[in-house]
C-alpha cells in the first residue's frame, strides 16, 4: 500500500484511494495530482479493488481494502470491471467490490448531479435549447431494492453452475426506515436548491413502489415548503429526454436510479464529466466518477479525468468540510474548459484535444 502524507497544524483527513480497474488508475492519478497541489492536510492510502484485487488476492474486496475504507474519512474510488471477469462466479466479480463497499459502509444515499457545462452544450445529443443550463440532482437509494434483495439465485444448480436452469430470481424489497431516510435526504437537498422533489416509482405495478410512494408522501408532510410530485419510471425516462430542465431533485430506488442516472448523465454531453458521492448516516462517503472502467480505452492515456477530479471536490465539500478547496477545484475545471481543452469524449471542432495527464496538469495550473 502506497502512502503520502501532508502535515499541517489542522486535522489530518484520511482518504482511502481505491483506483480499481481499466481507466480507474489513470483518472485517479490525476485527481491525486490536484489534491496534492492544494496542499491540504490529507493522508492518502492506496489499496487494490475490483479485478486488480482479484488478481492479487483472489477477491475483489480483500479484507485489508475493506478495513482501510472503513477507517478512512472518505474513499476516493476509480472504477471496477472488465469483460474478462464475466465468467467468474458472481461473488468474485469486480462489481461485487463496489456493492460490498456500499453495503459494509452503509452508503445509502447516492448523489448524482447532472450539470450541463455551458462550454459543452454542443457535446450533448439533445438540442442545445433543451439542455443549456441543465442542473438536475438525482438522489439514488443505494443499499436496498432488488440489488440487495433476498433470496436471489437460479433454481437447480449443478456444480455451482446453472446449465439449463428453469428459472432465475431476484427479490425487490424496501423497509420503511430505508425509504424514510432517503426521502429525508431528498427533501433536505431540495431545501438548498429550488425546493422541488420528484419521486420516481412504479406504483402502478409494483407493491414495493406503492409502499415507496406512500412513505415519501408521508415524509413530505414534514417539508411543507418543498413541492413534491410523483412520476412513474417509464414516464420519467421519457421526460428526461423531452424536457429535462423540468426536473430539479429526483429521488428514486436503487435500480431505477442506476438507469435514470446514466440517462441523465448523457444529457450533459459526456458521462466523463460527472462526479458522484455516496454517503452514510455519519457523512462518511465514497466518491467516484459516474462512468465505469472503460476497458476499451484503458492504458491509452485518453480518458477524461474531470469526473474523478470533480468527485474529489465533492469529497472535500461533503466529507471533509473543506468547501473553499472544493470551490477552487470546480473553478479550475471551468477554467480549463473555457481554455478550450478537451479530452476525446468531449472534443469538438476548434477545441484543443488533450490526454488524461495533460488535462490533470491543466487543472493543477488553473488552481494557481
Ligand atoms: C453504478 C454501476 C454499478 C451499479 C455497478 C458497477 C455494480 O452501474 O454505480 O451505477 O449498478 O450500481
Ligand atoms: Mg450504473
Amino acid at each position: 500500500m502506497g502512502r503520502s502524507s501532508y502535515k499541517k497544524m489542522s486535522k489530518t483527513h484520511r482518504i482511502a484511494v481505491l483506483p480499481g480497474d481499466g481507466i480507474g488508475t489513470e483518472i485517479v492519478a490525476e485527481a491525486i495530482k490536484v489534491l496534492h497541489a492544494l496542499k491540504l492536510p490529507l493522508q492518502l492510502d492506496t489499496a487494490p479493488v475490483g479485478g486488480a484485487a482479484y488478481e492479487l488476492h483472489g477477491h475483489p474486496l480483500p479484507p485489508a481494502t475493506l478495513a482501510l475504507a472503513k477507517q478512512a474519512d472518505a474513499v476516493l474510488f476509480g472504477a471496477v470491471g472488465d469483460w474478462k471477469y464475466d465468467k467468474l462466479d458472481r461473488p468474485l466479480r469486480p462489481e461485487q467490490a463496489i456493492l460490498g463497499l456500499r453495503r459494509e459502509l452503509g452508503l445509502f444515499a447516492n448523489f448524482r448531479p447532472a450539470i450541463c457545462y455551458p462550454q459543452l452544450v454542443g457535446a450533448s445529443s439533445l438540442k442545445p435549447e433543451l439542455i443549456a443550463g441543465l442542473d438536475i440532482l438525482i438522489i439514488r437509494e443505494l443499499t436496498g431494492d432488488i440489488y440487495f434483495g433476498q433470496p436471489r439465485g437460479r433454481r437447480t444448480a449443478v456444480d455451482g453452475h446453472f446449465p439449463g436452469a428453469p428459472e432465475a430470481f431476484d427479490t425487490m424489497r424496501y423497509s420503511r426506515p430505508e425509504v424514510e431516510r432517503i426521502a429525508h435526504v431528498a427533501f433536505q437537498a431540495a431545501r438548498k436548491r429550488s425546493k422541488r422533489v420528484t419521486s420516481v416509482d412504479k406504483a402502478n405495478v409494483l407493491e414495493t413502489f406503492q409502499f415507496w410512494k406512500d412513505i415519501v408522501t408521508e415524509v413530505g408532510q414534514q417539508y411543507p415548503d418543498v413541492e413534491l410530485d410523483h412520476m412513474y419510471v417509464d414516464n420519467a425516462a421519457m421526460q428526461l429526454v423531452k424536457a429535462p430542465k423540468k426536473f430539479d431533485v429526483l429521488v428514486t430506488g436503487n435500480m431505477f436510479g442506476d438507469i435514470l442516472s446514466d440517462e441523465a448523465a448523457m444529457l450533459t454531453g459526456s458521462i466523463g464529466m460527472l462526479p458522484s458521492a455516496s454517503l452514510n448516516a455519519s457523512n462518511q462517503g465514497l466518491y467516484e466518477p459516474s462512468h465505469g472502467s472503460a476497458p476499451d480505452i484503458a492504458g491509452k492515456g485518453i480518458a477524461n479525468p474531470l469526473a474523478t477530479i470533480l468527485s474529489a471536490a465533492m469529497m472535500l465539500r461533503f466529507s471533509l468540510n473543506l468547501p473553499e478547496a472544493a470551490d477552487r477545484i470546480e473553478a479550475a475545471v471551468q477554467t480549463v474548459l473555457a481554455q478550450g481543452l478537451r479530452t476525446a469524449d468531449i472534443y469538438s471542432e476548434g477545441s484543443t484535444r488533450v490526454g488524461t495527464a495533460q488535462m490533470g496538469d491543466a487543472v493543477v495550473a488553473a488552481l494557481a
Side-chain angles (χ1 to χ4, degrees):
M1 287 185 193
R3 159 174 294 203
S4 61
S5 51
Y6 297 85
K7 294 193 182 66
K8 251 192 171 180
M9 36 296 143
S10 39
K11 174 187 190 286
T12 296
H13 302 281
R14 305 191 58 179
I15 300 173
V17 179
L18 312 183
D21 306 324
I23 60 171
T25 43
E26 300 163 56
I27 54 179
V28 166
E30 300 312 311
I32 289 177
K33 242 187 220 173
V34 172
L35 289 172
H36 280 187
L38 288 167
K39 304 214 181 329
L40 301 166
L42 307 179
Q43 178 186 317
L44 309 178
D45 293 296
T46 303
V49 75
Y54 174 76
E55 302 289 349
L56 286 168
H57 304 291
H59 196 278
L61 184 57
T65 300
L66 178 59
L68 184 74
K70 278 191 168 168
Q71 336 157 338
D73 298 306
V75 178
L76 184 62
F77 192 91
V80 290
D82 192 306
W83 303 300
K84 69 181 179 210
Y85 303 112
D86 283 358
K87 293 252 176 323
L88 286 179
D89 278 352
R90 188 165 299 283
L92 295 178
R93 292 193 203 167
E95 291 76 11
Q96 294 302 314
I98 185 71
L99 296 175
L101 283 164
R102 288 171 185 171
R103 185 183 56 238
E104 293 295 322
L105 275 66
L107 305 169
F108 70 92
N110 182 217
F111 291 75
R112 296 194 169 179
I115 294 169
C116 184
Y117 288 86
Q119 301 90 346
L120 299 180
V121 171
S124 174
S125 46
L126 264 62
K127 294 189 194 105
E129 62 269 27
L130 284 183
I131 48 121
L134 182 79
D135 182 355
I136 306 178
L137 176 60
I138 297 196
I139 297 181
R140 169 187 176 193
E141 199 292 328
L142 204 57
T143 53
D145 201 352
I146 197 161
Y147 271 64
F148 292 96
Q150 293 290 332
R152 64 188 297 175
R154 293 190 213 176
R155 306 231 190 253
T156 62
V158 181
D159 297 336
H161 292 274
F162 305 85
E167 64 171 355
F169 54 92
D170 301 274
T171 51
M172 179 177 272
R173 61 166 289 286
Y174 264 119
S175 70
R176 172 171 283 273
E178 283 173 332
V179 183
E180 283 175 351
R181 66 183 178 178
I182 196 71
H184 282 291
V185 167
F187 287 114
Q188 279 160 21
R191 274 194 171 156
K192 299 189 192 134
R193 297 171 52 103
S194 70
K195 299 197 164 66
R196 284 188 296 122
V197 170
T198 304
S199 170
V200 174
D201 63 58
K202 191 70 188 175
N204 50 345
V205 177
L206 300 171
E207 202 48 39
T208 313
F209 275 92
Q210 182 63 56
F211 179 75
W212 171 282
K213 183 176 181 178
D214 292 347
I215 292 173
V216 173
T217 306
E218 236 174 82
V219 172
Q221 284 159 5
Q222 299 173 43
Y223 299 85
D225 52 321
V226 180
E227 192 188 314
L228 169 66
D229 66 346
H230 304 272
M231 202 179 272
Y232 297 141
V233 62
D234 48 349
N235 187 25
M238 182 172 75
Q239 297 303 328
L240 270 174
V241 287
K242 187 177 172 220
K245 284 192 265 184
K246 285 199 182 145
F247 292 102
D248 191 63
V249 172
L250 198 154
V251 65
T252 190
N254 204 346
M255 180 87 236
F256 299 155
D258 178 45
I259 300 164
L260 294 181
S261 62
D262 265 29
E263 186 188 4
M266 210 50 219
L267 299 176
T268 69
S270 174
I271 198 167
M273 292 297 302
L274 298 178
S276 77
S278 306
L279 300 180
N280 67 17
S282 45
N283 266 351
Q284 190 190 21
L286 181 147
Y287 299 83
E288 58 173 328
S290 285
H291 59 73
S293 56
D296 52 328
I297 60 162
K300 296 187 178 163
I302 59 170
N304 186 347
L306 293 178
T308 313
I309 291 172
L310 291 166
S311 299
M314 283 183 107
M315 172 177 86
L316 297 177
R317 180 173 293 118
F318 287 143
S319 286
L320 309 187
N321 198 20
L322 296 167
E324 294 89 8
D327 290 346
R328 278 185 70 196
I329 295 181
E330 286 162 0
V333 168
Q334 295 276 357
T335 303
V336 300
L337 291 175
Q339 288 165 349
L341 304 186
R342 304 283 186 271
T343 42
D345 56 313
I346 50 175
Y347 179 78
S348 59
E349 281 277 314
S351 53
T352 311
R353 192 189 290 263
V354 294
T356 311
Q358 279 170 292
M359 188 60 111
D361 291 343
V363 174
V364 169
L367 286 172

